Amino acid sequence: MKPGARIIGTGSYVPPTRLTNADLERMLDTSDEWIYSHTGIRERRIAGDNISTSDMAVEAIRQALEMSQCSPDEIDMVIAGTSTSDYRMPSTACVIQEKLSMPNAVAFDVVSACAGFINGLAVAKSFIESEVYEKIVVVGCEKLSSVTNYKDRSTCILFGDGAGAAVVTSDRNGRGVLSTFAKSDGTQRELLWIPSGGIKYPYNPDFTDNGSDKLQMKGPDVYKFAVREMYNASVKVIEDAGLDLPDISLVVPHQANIRIIQGLAKRLQVSMDKVVVNLDKYGNTSSASIPIALDETNRAGRLNAGDLVLMVAFGSGLIWASSLLKW
Ligand code: ACO
């Protein structure tokens, strides 16, 4: 029997500074009432100048290592899901490797926007199932405030900073990732993107004025796509595992918008008490949102051995992904 890839420890970190809807009211033509009723978000966390993406990841991983009782030198691989890397080169994962002294690991990033944690976990699963590596850290970490245009009320109300991590190891008792799925559609990339600052349109100070060095989004189009494809991705991993929708114990969806989450729950015919929601506190933290929610759920004692946990995400690419775990 090939080993499964099981999460044995989780951790999360959000920076202490809060940006509330009331703060945004003072910065822009918006209101707490509009933001909360359209998104479900009350506040988000902002890292500020002194906290980088890797700093947040390190704090989350420290907690996950502690819970899993693993020392850094036991880790074979570090996978960081991020679209807000500390540097353009090298990967944030290599920075994390250095900061946490993990000399026996190979470290690299997975750039999948909000699907970064799920796709990182899928990579970990394949290395564990093929018995190449045994202990892998997967972290979703984002400093979205660094790419948010605080003059654009249609996007800046959504995003926050944070990190969530998991230690994954081989399991021979049938627990772990049962099935995983991912798909993308690059023809839709301009629905949600940062046009400049890469190789095609290198950074230019003028971009700061026109906002093209910051995240731009066609919100309503992304919304429709998210509800449809999160549902399809959820059904796919449940069917691939030979299970049915009512078997699911808990859904941990990407925390983008409460209306998207409620729409998904309705289509899946899952009651909201089985769906983890924390976006009121943190907003959308992209690849960090699922592992932060998973860690909070784990630490609250809501996860029991054998529970079937569905994780599902969508984001810039456009990309969408899902994973079904037997906890
Ligand atoms: N405050 C007040 N009014 C606003 C605000 C605001 N912050 N933002 C937009 N409006 C106005 C618009 O100007 C528009 O006014 P108009 O009708 O006079 O033109 C009106 O509200 C409706 O705007 P819509 O964009 O249609 O609002 P919608 O109800 O679709 O909500 C939202 C916008 C919240 C962005 C929604 O479309 C959404 O959540 N989309 C999905 C986005 C998402 O999840 N993205 C993350 C992907 S993950 C990643 O890769 C990072």
Side-chain angles (χ1 to χ4, degrees):
M1 183 188 175
K2 68 179 179 183
R6 179 160 78 90
I7 293 176
I8 55 165
T10 58
S12 60
Y13 173 83
V14 289
T17 302
R18 291 174 154 83
L19 181 67
T20 65
N21 290 353
D23 295 328
L24 288 166
E25 278 179 350
R26 287 188 284 275
M27 293 160 58
L28 295 149
D29 179 17
T30 190
S31 65
D32 173 52
E33 193 281 326
W34 193 97
I35 299 171
Y36 188 67
S37 63
H38 283 73
T39 69
I41 300 168
R42 289 274 190 216
E43 60 182 37
R44 51 307 277 143
R45 300 299 181 94
I46 303 297
D49 292 340
N50 297 324
I51 301 176
S52 68
T53 298
S54 65
D55 291 334
M56 294 186 280
V58 161
E59 292 308 319
I61 295 169
R62 262 195 237 284
Q63 292 177 15
L65 288 171
E66 196 181 322
M67 186 187 284
S68 58
Q69 298 183 314
C70 285
S71 65
D73 60 4
E74 288 176 74
I75 299 302
D76 301 312
M77 179 177 273
V78 182
I79 305 171
T82 185
S83 298
T84 47
S85 196
D86 282 10
Y87 305 105
R88 289 176 66 191
M89 250 193 335
S91 66
T92 294
C94 280
V95 179
I96 294 166
Q97 175 183 25
E98 184 270 325
K99 287 184 176 173
L100 281 170
S101 301
M102 297 193 275
N104 300 315
V106 56
F108 57 88
D109 290 356
V110 169
V111 183
S112 290
C114 309
F117 179 77
I118 291 181
N119 285 343
L121 188 60
V123 175
K125 173 183 187 289
S126 63
F127 274 101
I128 287 171
E129 284 182 354
S130 56
E131 300 186 62
V132 177
Y133 292 123
E134 198 158 319
K135 285 192 179 142
I136 300 180
V137 164
V138 183
V139 61
C141 45
E142 301 284 5
K143 188 172 173 176
L144 283 181
S145 59
S146 66
V147 293
T148 297
N149 180 356
Y150 287 99
K151 291 180 182 155
D152 175 5
R153 68 178 183 173
S154 69
T155 56
C156 75
I157 55 159
L158 300 172
F159 302 114
D161 301 333
V167 175
V168 190
T169 192
S170 58
D171 179 283
R172 294 186 183 271
N173 296 308
R175 293 167 67 189
V177 181
L178 299 181
S179 52
T180 188
F181 168 78
K183 192 140 190 335
S184 60
D185 177 0
T187 66
Q188 311 259 26
R189 66 183 179 276
E190 294 182 13
L191 288 184
L192 175 50
W193 69 329
I194 302 170
S196 65
I199 300 302
K200 192 165 167 67
Y201 302 111
Y203 180 74
N204 173 330
D206 293 343
F207 295 156
T208 311
D209 297 329
N210 69 21
S212 70
D213 61 338
K214 301 286 192 250
L215 193 148
Q216 298 180 355
M217 180 175 67
K218 295 196 170 66
D221 293 334
V222 176
Y223 185 103
K224 280 181 230 142
F225 144 81
V227 175
R228 184 182 68 240
E229 295 304 346
M230 283 173 94
Y231 171 77
N232 291 336
S234 300
V235 171
K236 172 85 176 120
V237 282
I238 293 167
E239 285 179 357
D240 284 355
L243 296 164
D244 295 313
L245 280 169
D247 297 326
I248 300 306
S249 317
L250 203 67
V251 184
V252 186
H254 174 43
Q255 306 287 309
N257 183 317
I258 190 66
R259 292 186 299 153
I260 293 175
I261 294 174
Q262 287 166 341
L264 173 72
K266 192 171 170 196
R267 291 194 70 182
L268 290 174
Q269 297 181 320
V270 168
S271 66
M272 281 302 287
D273 59 350
K274 281 188 171 182
V275 181
V276 179
V277 176
N278 66 4
L279 59 70
D280 51 319
K281 297 185 289 183
Y282 310 130
N284 177 349
T285 56
S286 191
S287 68
S289 93
I290 286 179
I292 292 173
L294 188 68
D295 179 52
E296 290 191 342
T297 309
N298 193 16
R299 284 172 195 274
R302 280 181 75 187
L303 292 169
N304 300 306
D307 277 357
L308 293 167
V309 181
L310 169 68
M311 303 188 293
V312 58
F314 69 96
S316 170
L318 295 173
I319 193 162
W320 56 107
S322 54
S323 186
L324 186 65
L325 311 180
K326 186 166 187 179
W327 195 257

